[in-house]
Amino acid sequence: MKRWICLLLAVCLVMGLGGCGKPDDGSGGGFRFPIDSEPAALDPQMARDDAAVTVLCALFEGLTRLDNEGKVVPAAADWTVSEDDLIYTFTIKDSYWNANPVKGKEQPWDENLPVTADDFLFAFERLADPATASPLAGELAGIAEVTAPDDKTLLVTLSAPDDDFLAKMATSPFFPCHRAFFEATAGRYGLEEEYILSNGAFRLAAWNHNESLLAYKHEQYHDAAQIAPEAVRFVIGTADPVAALGAGDLSAAPLSAAQAAQVDKSVSTVTLNDTLRCVMFNASADPLAEGNIRRALRDSIQWDSVDAYLADVGETAASGYVPPAAVVSAGETYRNEDNALPRVTDTSAAVKALQAGLKALYPDQSATASRIRITLLAAEDTLSADLARYILQSWQKNLGITVKLELVSEQELARRVKNGNYQAALYTFTPSGLTGAENLSAFSSTATDNVARLMDKKVDAAIAAAKVGGRAELAALESALWAACPAIPVSFPYRYYGFAEDTEGIVARPFGGGRYQSPIDFRTAKYYD
């Protein structure tokens, strides 16, 4: 069975949590972690925003989960598989729902309500129901039938064997939903703490909108003895994470490179190499819809100048589309010197590609390089602006095209790229997934996060092969992307996490959590003396 591995970092940190300070016995305690925004709703079958999913992963548990080595292990259920790998029989463990009682109302789910197979069945039904209109319904692909013959047994039949199935059962769309509770919320499910019934390691105790969400340890969770913290508070928005970590107002927080350099010596940091800075092309917008134009831009960049600047600012030149933290399979990293893409300046090839592109775009007339006009979008920080100018000057010098540089805020850059309101952009992003194949699935024709708007059958086929293949298939996928050129890899920026002192057992994960979905795990977080 395929195993999903990521580079996991267990680190030390400390913090008190609104009355939950450092315990005398060196265990438990409360921890604080920032989320970027207010969760839209804590509904596992609907939530797609990172903030909501991060909180949901603390409050709920699926049939399976991934351990710290990325291996699929039993969570809310144990399982067996038929000989043909099509029928999975899940046996639900003894565990209980938890809820926040509504004042003055006695309800059947206030205490000692067992988690049953029907709760998981209802989650599948909600995903499949057109009335739900779940944006996550596509996750049901490959699942032929789901039944619950009794309270302890859930049967899932696949249409074909799927090595990824058990890992998928650990993700939020397949978290359980109690049928009667959902109906009783009358359309308010997941909107307030009293409308949330969860089965995970923590229970939501308070949702202070626009401020924080407070979760306490769920004492009736089936594995409660292994959950160390007494509480976790998710703080909504943090203006200055450096100061918050130093003061103990946060236990852990993501940091920029500049912020990581500013933290106090008492704050430890870890480095994640899971990010790609690239020139992203809008392959649906002229003239960049023409592949030869994209390849001309790629081969005309003066890489010696770009790479010298990257070295000056301490950033690693990109050797491909897959960041170094990505893996091929269990324990096997992908990125090495042998699979670097041919990132060289080839002006003659670039000019030839430009002429081919002009002929394809304007077949009935004679067109010169001056006909090509491109706006390069970039963030307004110094590093991004300088890199963009090196690239722009290369294009103008070696191709003779007209290029305009437009500098905007990081937020505006992300918004415009996401919405397709750009031609070319110097764009920095952290892919999702843990494997290189998952990282590059963003370039699939059907991917919702395909910001390049690339529609290429060869790339789609290479993505499908890489998902079930190994190192050779992943290398073939990178080569297919290099040929299609929806983006030009520029560098691999580092990301950082900061951790306050005096704790251990907090796990930070690359790629925003990847298949774990949450970037942080507090299950084993403890204070130490």
Side-chain angles (χ1 to χ4, degrees), residues 108-123:
W109 38 78
D110 282 351
E111 59 181 342
N112 297 325
L113 181 67
V115 177
T116 70
D118 184 70
D119 300 323
F120 286 94
L121 174 63
F122 187 53

Side-chain angles (χ1 to χ4, degrees), residues 312-390:
D312 286 343
V313 297
E315 204 160 289
T316 305
S319 53
Y321 293 94
V322 178
V327 299
V328 179
S329 59
E332 181 188 359
T333 56
Y334 170 71
R335 191 89 274 156
N336 59 39
E337 294 181 359
D338 295 333
N339 54 34
L341 294 175
R343 188 171 171 272
V344 295
T345 305
D346 190 340
T347 304
S348 61
V351 171
K352 187 178 295 185
L354 176 63
Q355 293 303 317
L358 287 168
K359 187 175 181 179
L361 287 170
Y362 312 107
D364 299 328
Q365 55 185 291
S366 176
T368 62
S370 61
R371 187 69 183 264
I372 302 298
R373 297 176 179 273
I374 295 172
T375 297
L376 176 60
L377 198 63
E380 56 195 0
D381 64 275
T382 301
L383 190 155
S384 297
D386 287 347
L387 266 179
R389 290 188 179 98
Y390 278 114

Side-chain angles (χ1 to χ4, degrees), residues 29 45 84 86 102 191 206 229 266 280 287 331 385 394 447 458 474 485 497 511:
Q45 280 72 58
D84 60 4
L86 292 180
V102 178
L191 297 179
S266 64
M280 187 71 75
S394 296
K458 290 183 179 179
L474 184 52
C485 199
Y497 267 87
F511 300 112

Side-chain angles (χ1 to χ4, degrees), residues 121-147:
L121 174 63
F122 187 53
F124 283 89
E125 291 176 352
R126 287 194 66 215
L127 282 174
D129 188 350
T132 304
S134 172
L136 304 169
E139 295 297 313
L140 291 169
I143 297 174
E145 183 181 42
V146 185
T147 60

Side-chain angles (χ1 to χ4, degrees), residues 210-231:
N210 299 313
E211 294 182 7
S212 67
L213 297 95
L214 175 63
Y216 287 133
K217 178 178 177 179
H218 177 198
E219 297 296 345
Q220 290 183 299
Y221 172 61
H222 67 86
D223 204 19
Q226 303 304 315
I227 305 303
E230 297 170 358

